[in-house]
Amino acid sequence: MLENLLCAAIAILAVWGSLALAYMLLMSLIRPKKNERHLLLLSSEGSAEDTVERVSFMLSRLSVSGEMGYTVIAVLCDPADAEKRRALAAAFGHEKRVIVCSKTELMEII
């Protein structure tokens, strides 16, 4: 019984390893080779906590996939929504890859 469990665990780990290897190979082929900059737009719908969680998730995802070096996240937030801007500045004020801006500010940046 224990031997069958061990064989199943090894088989599952082998499948996960092969999937990870295939993903890494595809990402190395698909990922841009030049220093092209990418802009990821996120809307600030919902509460301030939801927006901070969404930006944090995207930063984690970009970090894991290796796209952090050339991707900038722009969070569209109304100038009148001071609570969200404060929450985003407190959470990501040190992160230079996160820009909190309105639609007009984004058009000026681009």
Side-chain angles (χ1 to χ4, degrees), residues 35-78:
N35 288 332
E36 297 173 354
R37 307 282 296 173
H38 293 264
L39 180 67
L40 179 65
L41 289 175
L42 291 178
S43 66
S44 62
E45 296 175 355
S47 67
E49 294 173 358
D50 292 341
T51 306
V52 169
E53 287 177 6
R54 202 170 327 131
V55 173
S56 177
F57 173 75
M58 290 309 298
L59 281 173
S60 299
R61 184 176 162 208
L62 291 172
S63 176
V64 167
S65 65
E67 299 173 7
M68 184 71 103
Y70 53 85
T71 304
V72 176
I73 298 175
V75 183
L76 295 179
C77 188
D78 291 331

Side-chain angles (χ1 to χ4, degrees), residues 17-37:
S18 62
L19 287 175
L21 183 64
Y23 177 76
M24 192 171 59
L25 179 67
L26 286 175
M27 287 303 292
S28 68
L29 294 174
I30 295 171
R31 188 177 303 144
K33 306 296 189 266
K34 301 174 187 171
N35 288 332
E36 297 173 354
R37 307 282 296 173

Side-chain angles (χ1 to χ4, degrees), residues 2 35 38 56 62 83 94-95 109:
L2 188 58
N35 288 332
H38 293 264
S56 177
L62 291 172
E83 178 187 352
H94 63 281
E95 184 65 49
I109 291 171

